[in-house]
Amino acid sequence: MNENYMKKIVASLLVLLTLQSSIYSQNAIPIYFSKLGAYVFADIVTKQPIQPVIQFDKAVYLGFGFWAVDTGSSTLDNRQAFFNYKGKQLTDFKYSSIYSMYEKSPILKFEEDKKFGLIDSFGKELFAAKYQFIDINPKEGIHKVKMNNNDCFVNNAGKEIINCKYIKVTDFSDGLALVDETKEGEEFKSVYFIDKTGKIALKPSINNIENIGNFSEGLAAIDCYWKTNNYGLYGFIDKKGNMVIEPRFTSIFPTENAFKNGYTQYGSYDYDKVSQKHKSVNGIINKKGEIVIEAKYSYINFIGNDMFRVKKDSLYGVISSSGKIIVPLKYKEVWLYSYDKKQFIVHDNNQHFIVDSLNNTIKTFKKQYDRLTRVAEGVGIYRVKQGKNEMFINEQEEVIVEIESHPFRNEITFNTDFIIVRQGSRERYYDLTGKEFRE
């Protein structure tokens, strides 16, 4: 691979990371010009068309300032081209689909004639569409692809670095990927881990493995028959294959990439005297295998800053790792509002409030909503669900945009500089006051 091109790939990643910090201050936005009967890219402030003017039928926002643009021309078979945040065309109109960008990734997946390839953020093809499947993994910088029903791996430059020979292999995590060679009918797993050169890095010597996850933060969850256990329980191995947390947990969730920020969720069973049945309950352990939060919640999730959102008896609250109550478990819903200030949106008696960790009410929403959440930290816009409709509202509870909810067809998306309303395959674009970008 040419050294200058590799430098360009690295530069591309740095550009993405830099611009990500401001979520791509958007210079251009698709605006519908009535006199043209088409969309063109225009300056988001002046509304003046970007030169050269390229007319198109629709655009799909890919994230981080990039767009897939469709001319809608039947002669081009509705092919897409790739445009950047300045409204500059980076590729020809030749792709069946260009897929959304992944966080911190300098590459994108495209589809052409039912095969997949990769392009970089400059629009240069890393390789033509030749794979049956591509799973982009920006964190590891190595991506799983499928050819002739076998899996292999390519790097950010599009070079195939591990041959297509695996039938069942996971994505890379913590520098390793899990290969499963268990044959049909076998009771226990036959697995091993490979490194980024394709060499076997670890083959667990533990017998009777029923389930095993990828590594995260140096540990992998494993469900096996261990020592005197007469049934499978979960523990954790390190990258040398040592059992560092002995199996004693009924479940670990998630099994794949279990640890995050030093915590993972474990499951147990609790006997309910009322129903006279055992019910599943969840708690938190740390990387030493110590129980941080006892398993007694039907739901628990780490939300950062030593805060855990929990649910018990159909009511939500927030607690710390020491068990201290931050938000009492008495609300129909609790959502994080401010990470640093430890403020939360709570739903109680058909009303929404913003409260702090001392249970002081910061704001009361006057209208009643089925659900209300923030769109981003420090932004005075809220996502609201009310009946069949979904909307964004401002601090005064005025509707900015509103659509009828549909899980697969209709969607509203907030970006720093604009709002996208997607209905079916069409997108329309609005400023943060709810005014559509049209001329």
Side-chain angles (χ1 to χ4, degrees), residues 324-336:
K324 177 184 176 182
I325 300 295
I326 298 174
V327 176
L329 276 78
K330 66 176 185 178
Y331 296 107
K332 184 177 179 180
E333 266 296 359
V334 174
W335 301 99
L336 184 64

Side-chain angles (χ1 to χ4, degrees), residues 30-73:
I31 294 181
Y32 186 81
F33 281 77
S34 301
K35 61 183 179 182
L36 299 176
Y39 283 95
V40 302
F41 276 105
D43 186 278
I44 196 170
V45 177
T46 67
K47 310 297 190 298
Q48 293 302 307
I50 303 294
Q51 301 296 327
V53 176
I54 300 174
Q55 299 181 27
F56 52 89
D57 181 60
K58 64 179 181 179
V60 177
Y61 188 62
L62 302 174
F64 299 93
F66 290 92
W67 303 81
V69 171
D70 188 341
T71 63
S73 170

Side-chain angles (χ1 to χ4, degrees), residues 57 70-79:
D57 181 60
D70 188 341
T71 63
S73 170
S74 58
T75 59
L76 291 174
D77 191 26
N78 291 330
R79 297 284 169 155

Side-chain angles (χ1 to χ4, degrees), residues 146-157:
K146 184 182 290 291
M147 178 179 281
N148 299 323
N149 295 320
N150 286 345
D151 292 332
C152 52
F153 293 89
V154 300
N155 62 16
N156 278 343

Side-chain angles (χ1 to χ4, degrees), residues 104-273:
K104 300 182 181 178
S105 175
I107 60 178
L108 299 92
K109 176 173 67 174
F110 68 85
E111 183 179 357
E112 193 173 7
D113 300 324
K114 298 183 179 180
K115 294 291 181 68
F116 297 92
L118 293 178
I119 56 176
D120 67 17
S121 58
F122 299 102
K124 181 178 177 62
E125 281 193 12
L126 302 179
F127 53 77
K130 62 180 181 178
Y131 292 107
Q132 296 168 275
F133 173 84
I134 298 176
D135 191 6
I136 295 177
N137 186 347
K139 184 177 180 180
E140 295 288 327
I142 181 170
H143 318 286
K144 186 168 73 170
V145 298
K146 184 182 290 291
M147 178 179 281
N148 299 323
N149 295 320
N150 286 345
D151 292 332
C152 52
F153 293 89
V154 300
N155 62 16
N156 278 343
K159 181 181 179 181
E160 196 172 293
I161 57 175
I162 299 178
N163 295 333
C164 287
K165 62 180 182 179
Y166 299 105
I167 302 299
K168 190 174 181 180
V169 62
T170 67
D171 287 316
F172 272 85
S173 176
D174 238 12
L176 300 176
L178 177 65
V179 179
D180 189 342
E181 293 188 342
T182 309
K183 295 180 174 59
E184 186 176 353
E186 288 185 343
E187 183 178 1
F188 299 109
K189 295 280 188 182
S190 175
V191 296
Y192 58 90
F193 291 89
I194 58 173
D195 63 21
K196 291 183 179 180
T197 69
K199 294 180 180 178
I200 296 178
L202 169 64
K203 188 165 186 175
S205 58
I206 298 166
N207 296 322
N208 305 337
I209 297 173
E210 288 200 326
N211 193 19
I212 187 168
N214 257 344
F215 278 94
S216 63
E217 300 186 5
L219 299 177
I222 184 168
D223 175 10
C224 62
Y225 291 76
W226 176 252
K227 293 184 177 179
T228 58
N229 289 339
N230 58 5
Y231 56 91
L233 293 173
Y234 278 92
F236 286 86
I237 60 172
D238 63 17
K239 290 186 177 181
K240 294 182 179 180
N242 299 318
M243 187 71 77
V244 293
I245 300 177
E246 291 203 0
R248 65 181 189 276
F249 304 106
T250 303
S251 65
I252 293 293
F253 182 82
T255 305
E256 298 293 334
N257 310 319
F259 275 101
K260 185 178 180 181
N261 299 305
Y263 297 114
T264 191
Q265 178 180 312
Y266 79 96
S268 185
Y269 289 100
D270 188 29
Y271 183 72
D272 185 359
K273 294 180 180 179

